[in-house]
């Protein structure tokens, strides 16, 4: 139990640091592969007694276990390779930032993406339409519309400071 507990105590802070960092490195680096490598490495350190435990059941059971786990892994890889979880309406890395100025009561909703984002303009418009129509309906207003304003995320835009440190 101690190696598993120690592995979890090691995994939590490492993942807390590296998941946001890999989310900000842009589309060029394989962020998914980096996180998978970190999790599998620490996972292997967390379960060091699995191999000696498996050897207690003899070579025949060990061989069956290895073959069945290999088939299960191959099947799962094949199933998930055929799926496309990200599309025009479900971006891979989408950042949403809601700001409210408490002195003027002005609110703004910022939406950004770190990947190629096909259909991002349509997604942003549909989000804006949903919020505007919901607000108009609750306040009794009719024919309310809003224009989207593109904002550049750079060193001089303080609204994006919590998300800005992307690599070039």
């Amino acid at each position: 139990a101690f190696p598993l507990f120690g592995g979890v105590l090691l995994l939590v802070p490492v993942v807390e640091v590296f998941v946001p960092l890999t989310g900000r490195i842009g589309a060029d680096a394989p962020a998914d592969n980096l996180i998978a490598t970190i999790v599998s490495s620490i996972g292997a350190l967390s379960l060091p007694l699995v191999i000696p435990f498996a050897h207690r059941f003899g070579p025949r059971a060990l061989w069956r276990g290895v073959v069945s786990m290999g088939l299960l892994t191959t099947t799962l890889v094949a199933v998930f390779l055929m799926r496309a979880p990200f599309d025009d309406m479900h971006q891979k890395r989408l950042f949403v930032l809601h700001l409210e100025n408490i002195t003027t009561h002005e609110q703004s909703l910022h939406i950004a993406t770190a990947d190629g984002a096909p259909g991002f303009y349509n997604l942003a418009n549909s989000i804006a339409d949903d919020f505007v129509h919901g607000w108009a309906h609750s306040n009794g207003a009719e024919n309310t519309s809003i224009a989207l304003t593109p904002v550049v995320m750079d060193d001089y835009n303080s609204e994006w400071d919590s998300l800005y440190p992307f690599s070039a």
Side-chain angles (χ1 to χ4, degrees):
F2 183 70
L4 181 62
F5 181 69
V8 170
L9 287 178
L10 179 64
L11 181 67
V12 169
V14 168
V15 168
E16 283 180 351
V17 169
F18 282 102
V19 167
L21 286 177
T22 57
R24 293 178 175 155
I25 58 176
D28 297 332
D32 301 337
N33 294 347
L34 292 171
I35 295 300
T37 302
I38 291 170
V39 169
S40 62
S41 301
I42 295 177
L45 292 173
S46 301
L47 300 169
L49 300 176
V50 169
I51 294 174
F53 180 72
H55 277 281
R56 286 187 63 152
F57 297 104
R60 184 174 175 187
L62 185 61
W63 178 250
R64 277 191 204 156
V66 168
V67 169
S68 62
M69 287 297 139
L71 288 173
L72 178 68
T73 302
T74 304
T75 304
L76 288 174
V77 167
V79 166
F80 287 110
L81 278 176
M82 299 181 78
R83 296 176 123 193
F86 306 111
D87 60 8
D88 291 354
M89 294 303 287
H90 303 91
Q91 303 294 327
K92 188 172 183 182
R93 289 183 281 176
L94 186 72
F95 303 105
V96 179
L97 183 63
H98 175 259
L99 296 175
E100 180 180 3
N101 186 339
I102 59 172
T103 57
T104 64
H105 300 292
E106 177 188 12
Q107 295 187 19
S108 60
L109 181 68
H110 300 281
I111 304 167
T113 182
D115 299 308
F120 178 69
Y121 183 75
N122 294 335
L123 178 66
N125 276 325
S126 69
I127 291 171
D129 288 342
D130 286 345
F131 280 105
V132 168
H133 291 305
W135 175 83
H137 180 68
S138 66
N139 290 331
E142 293 183 21
N143 297 332
T144 306
S145 64
I146 190 168
L148 297 180
T149 307
V151 177
V152 177
M153 189 186 315
D154 60 9
D155 289 334
Y156 307 108
N157 186 353
S158 62
E159 292 178 345
W160 283 105
D161 278 349
S162 60
L163 297 175
Y164 177 63
F166 281 80
S167 64

